[in-house]
Each structure stands twice: as C-alpha cells, then as structure tokens.
C-alpha cells in the first residue's frame, strides 16, 4: 500500500516590523518606481530587537503544532532549513527546540543550501515517511530566514524575513508527489563566507542560473507528464509558485521558459498573469524570506483552494540547486486557517519610517543576531 503523506499542518510567522520599499528608495535617493515597478517589490518585513531567525522558527512551529493537534511525542524528526546560521556547529533545530520546549525521541538537524534549504528539509521529511523509517511518526519541518544586505547594497530593497512551518504526516493540507524534478550546478552566484555578515552576490549570474534551473526543472516535468509540452504543463496546474527573491526575477524566468519553448508574447503574458503573478501577493508584503519565500507563495495559493487543486512549486537555492515539486490541495486547504494568522501578523506590524530603519541598521547590522 502506498504511504499517505504530505502536509498535515502549515503555519507562518512574520516579524513585527515593516518598511515600505518606497520609503527606502527615498532614503537612498532612488526613484521609488525602480523598486516597485523595476523589481516588483512592495514591503520589507523586519525583525524588532528581540526577534531573530530562532524566534521566527519557534513561532511558526508552535502554530503548526497547535493546529495539527497531535501529540508532540509522535514527532520523530525536527528539521530547520535556513541560511541564517546562528552557529557553525549547533543546529537551528536545537535553538528552536529549546525555544518551544521540545525534547524526546526525534532526530534533529539543520539543512543548508541557500534558499533551497527549506525544500530539502521538506523533501527529506516526506521521503523519510514514505520509506517506512518513520514508523508512522510525524516530522516538524521549518524554513526560517532573515534576509539582510549591507546598507546601500543594490539588494537592499529585496530584504525580508519570515518562517513557514509544516507538520508532515497525513496529507490534510496538501499531498506532495514523491516524484520531483531537480537540477544542480556548482557555481558562486550568491554566498556568505564564514565570518562575513552579508552575502556576496553576482546578481547577473544568479538571474542566469535561476532561469536555467527553472527551465531544466519544468522541462523534466513536461517530459515526464505532458509529452514535453511546456505550455500544457503551465496550463495544467492551477498555479505555479516560484522562489521569490523579488517578483521581477520570477517574471524573467517565465519569459525565459517562454522564449525557449517558442511561446508568443501573448501566451507568456497570459500564463504569467494567470498562473504565476497571483501567487506572489504575500511575498510582496514580506520581501525575500529566503528558504521561506517559496513556501509563503505556496501557502497563499493553498489557502482557500478546493480539494484536489494542483500546483507546482519551483525551489531555487544559490550555489545552485533547484527542485520542482507538485502538490495537490487536501481537505483542510479550503479553510486555510494559516491565512488568518498571516493577515493578523501583517495587520499588527509596526510600520517604521526610513530614519528608524537607518538607525536600526547601525545598531543591529547582522542578520544572524
Ligand atoms: N522606474 C522603473 N523601472 C526602473 C527604474 C525606474 N526609475 N530604474 C530602473 N528600473 C528597472 C530596470 O530597468 C531593471 O529592470 P529590468 O531588469 O526589467 O531591465 C530593474 O529596475 C532593476 O534595475 P537594475 O538592474 O539597474 O538594478 P540594480 O543593478 O540596482 O540591481 C538587483 C538590483 C537586480 C536586485 C541586484 O541587486 C541583484 O541582482 N540582486 C541579487 C539578486 C538575488 O537576489 N539573487 C539571488 C537569488 S536567489 C536568492 O534568493 C538567494 C539565495 O538562494 C540565497
């Protein structure tokens, strides 16, 4: 009998402050249209002084466990995917478990592959359950990050923060197909050497790698299930979610896929406008939350979806590793309880002005504090 597995519970935690990218643009003497229209950004979620990657992970985990309603003794695996490392040795899963008072008969570790780290954690949990090694136990998987660049870095408008947590067990929120489509190449497009506070980025290379990874993954899915037809692949899914460093990057990837597939401009615009752009509403309110960014997009699409709704999810992590997953909404998606939490977090945020942001960057310059 095939193992039933997938996402049994899903939750998001946002930090408590937010900055409008237009205010950042004014602070830096840049035309706000560059950030809003040129990059497609909206708001940047920011931590307060008592928030960090661990509090975000812990907040999302607590919410996911509470909604799941199961006994924490039935959790046999705890994994945190992140690129906001707190320690070179102690895993974030231990920091998080400490914060939520979790101990017991579970395997605990951290996964890292830039923004792909959360997807890797989720895949491992799904495969652990499907293999039978879990002996029916559930997994707690969290993707959590604080994305900060050096002040005045061109990447500054693409900052953000947040966490998404899953309990992997019965597929009540969504089932995830065990077949997935991966592509990896060893490159230096975005990396943070040990001891350095901010990432080094080769922006044009990262855009190029992202486009190539997206095409390779979608082509593998098209070949496996849709006779190689990329248009039919995009048409099939109610939505195709992408990792969202900033929305323009996603738009460029869809354009790249369209160019390689020979779509005309109208087809590209239609598929992007109906299947991809609507998946980035929450991302525009959060900014780039690295490992959590794809899963915020997926969470937004699942919330309110009819049971059986199919979606594709493309994960990208610099370095680079990509993987395309396919999911199907379960019976709990329609209610989409995590959407109310997301909206409450957004409504409760303190909106800070540019001078408060600038002062905060001088006292709290590093993401992993
Ligand atoms: N009005 C409207 N549009 C304007 C404008 C204006 N006044 N001024 C500029 N623009 C447009 C430009 O035309 C351009 O649009 P196109 O790309 O469509 O041509 C866009 O705004 C950006 O302009 P620039 O390319 O000049 O911007 P920049 O040189 O300042 O670069 C950046 C900004 C693209 C964000 C760059 O910093 C970058 O590449 N950053 C890193 C990208 C990234 O996040 N890579 C990693 C991806 S994966 C990830 O999330 C990391 C991971 O795995 C850890």
């Amino acid at each position: 009998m095939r193992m039933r597995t997938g996402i049994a519970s899903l939750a998001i935690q946002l930090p408590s402050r937010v900055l409008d990218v237009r205010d950042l643009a004014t602070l830096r003497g840049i035309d706000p249209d560059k950030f809003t229209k040129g990059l497609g950004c909206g708001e940047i979620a920011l931590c307060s002084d008592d928030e960090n990657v661990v509090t975000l992970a812990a907040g999302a985990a607590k919410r996911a466990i509470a909604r799941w309603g199961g006994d924490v003794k039935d959790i046999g695996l705890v994994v945190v995917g992140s690129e906001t490392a707190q320690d070179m040795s102690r895993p974030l899963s231990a920091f998080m478990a400490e914060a939520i008072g979790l101990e017991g008969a579970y395997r605990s570790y951290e996964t890292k592959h830039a923004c792909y780290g959360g997807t890797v954690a989720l895949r491992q949990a799904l495969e652990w359950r499907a293999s039978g090694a879990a002996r029916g136990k559930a997994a707690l998987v969290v993707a959590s990050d604080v994305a900060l660049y050096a002040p005045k870095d061109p990447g500054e408008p693409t900052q953000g923060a947040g966490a998404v947590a899953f309990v992997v067990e019965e597929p009540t929120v969504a089932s995830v197909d065990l077949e997935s489509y991966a592509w990896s190449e060893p490159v230096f497009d975005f990396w943070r050497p040990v001891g350095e506070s901010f990432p080094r980025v080769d922006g044009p290379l990262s855009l190029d790698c992202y486009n190539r990874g997206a095409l390779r993954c979608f082509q593998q899915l098209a070949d496996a299930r849709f006779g190689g037809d990329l248009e039919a692949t995009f048409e099939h899914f109610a939505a195709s979610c992408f990792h969202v460093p900033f929305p323009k990057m996603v738009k460029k990837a869809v354009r790249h896929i369209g160019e390689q597939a020979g779509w005309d401009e109208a087809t590209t615009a239609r598929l992007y406008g109906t299947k991809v752009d609507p998946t980035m509403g929450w991302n525009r309110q959060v900014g780039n939350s690295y490992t959590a960014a794809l899963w915020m997009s997926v969470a937004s699409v699942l919330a309110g979806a009819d049971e059986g709704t199919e979606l594709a999810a493309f994960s990208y992590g610099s370095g680079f590793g990509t993987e395309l997953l396919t999911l199907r909404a379960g019976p709990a998606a329609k209610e989409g309880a995590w959407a109310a939490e997301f909206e409450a977090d957004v409504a409760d945020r303190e909106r800070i002005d540019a001078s408060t942001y600038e002062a905060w960057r001088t006292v709290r310059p590093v993401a992993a504090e």
Side-chain angles (χ1 to χ4, degrees):
M1 190 186 82
R2 194 168 172 191
M3 167 68 66
R4 274 173 53 84
T5 198
I7 300 166
S9 179
L10 188 163
I12 292 174
Q13 178 72 57
L14 300 185
S16 62
R17 305 209 296 181
V18 64
L19 174 71
D20 192 308
V21 291
R22 291 170 296 186
D23 293 338
L24 177 65
T26 305
L27 175 72
R28 299 290 178 233
I30 292 170
D31 180 354
D33 282 354
K34 176 177 176 184
F35 292 175
T36 54
K37 296 181 182 149
L39 300 176
C41 297
E43 293 173 318
I44 300 169
L46 293 166
C47 291
S48 65
D49 288 339
D50 52 7
E51 292 170 321
N52 59 26
V53 66
V54 177
T55 64
L56 294 175
K62 270 199 255 182
R63 287 174 169 177
I65 291 169
R67 191 151 39 248
W68 171 51
D71 188 335
V72 290
K73 288 196 192 70
D74 292 330
I75 293 176
L77 180 66
V78 176
V79 198
V80 180
S82 181
E83 58 181 285
T84 315
Q86 289 259 308
D87 188 286
M88 290 302 293
S89 176
R90 192 173 194 250
L92 269 174
S93 54
F95 286 94
M96 183 190 74
E98 194 170 32
I100 61 174
L102 196 62
E103 62 175 36
Y106 63 82
R107 181 188 290 163
S108 160
Y109 58 96
E110 175 180 329
T111 51
K112 182 181 71 172
H113 193 314
C115 304
Y116 174 46
T119 304
V120 170
L122 179 62
R123 288 298 318 177
Q124 288 185 333
L126 292 161
E127 291 164 14
W128 171 73
R129 281 206 23 108
S131 74
R135 287 175 283 132
K137 285 200 162 196
L140 173 63
V141 175
V142 185
S144 182
D145 268 305
V146 177
L148 284 181
Y149 295 85
K152 301 183 183 159
D153 185 284
E156 198 176 20
T158 73
Q159 297 175 132
V164 179
F166 311 92
V167 175
V168 175
E169 196 207 30
E170 291 294 308
T172 48
V173 170
S175 57
V176 186
D177 292 322
L178 280 176
E179 301 80 15
S180 64
Y181 309 91
W183 184 265
S184 298
E185 291 179 27
V187 301
F188 275 95
D189 63 325
F190 179 114
W191 70 107
R192 181 160 68 85
V194 173
E196 292 192 13
S197 302
F198 301 111
R200 297 187 195 181
V201 189
D202 182 337
L205 178 62
S206 82
L207 265 71
D208 194 44
C209 292
Y210 185 96
N211 285 353
R212 193 158 67 250
L215 177 64
R216 296 280 189 187
C217 289
F218 272 97
Q219 190 64 62
Q220 288 180 65
L221 170 61
D223 291 345
R225 290 182 50 189
F226 302 97
D229 186 336
L230 280 162
E231 186 179 342
T233 307
F234 274 83
E235 285 290 9
H236 175 83
F237 293 94
S240 284
C241 300
F242 283 67
H243 168 50
V244 190
F246 53 94
K248 177 63 88 58
M249 194 157 166
V250 175
K251 188 174 189 180
K252 286 184 178 190
V254 175
R255 194 187 301 149
H256 178 71
I257 291 170
E259 282 164 4
Q260 300 307 309
W263 300 345
D264 58 25
E265 271 182 36
T267 303
T268 303
R270 178 175 53 78
L271 291 175
Y272 175 73
T274 58
K275 306 286 187 174
V276 181
D277 187 61
T279 70
M280 295 190 283
W282 289 9
N283 301 90
R284 290 189 172 95
Q285 294 175 277
V286 175
N288 189 0
S289 52
Y290 288 161
T291 52
L294 167 66
W295 299 103
M296 290 215 188
S297 171
V298 170
S300 75
V301 174
L302 283 174
D306 291 329
E307 186 174 357
T309 301
E310 288 184 74
L311 54 148
F314 170 70
S315 185
Y316 177 87
S318 291
F320 79 84
T322 58
E323 191 161 343
L324 179 61
L325 280 59
T326 50
L327 299 86
R328 198 178 288 255
K334 190 79 187 164
E335 186 188 341
W338 55 91
E341 275 170 2
F342 179 90
E343 280 153 20
D345 279 1
V346 166
D348 291 346
R349 296 190 293 191
E350 178 196 358
R351 192 162 286 278
I352 62 170
D353 59 23
S355 58
T356 307
Y357 167 76
E358 189 75 321
W360 177 74
R361 288 308 306 264
T362 57
V363 294
R364 175 87 183 281
V366 179
E369 278 185 339

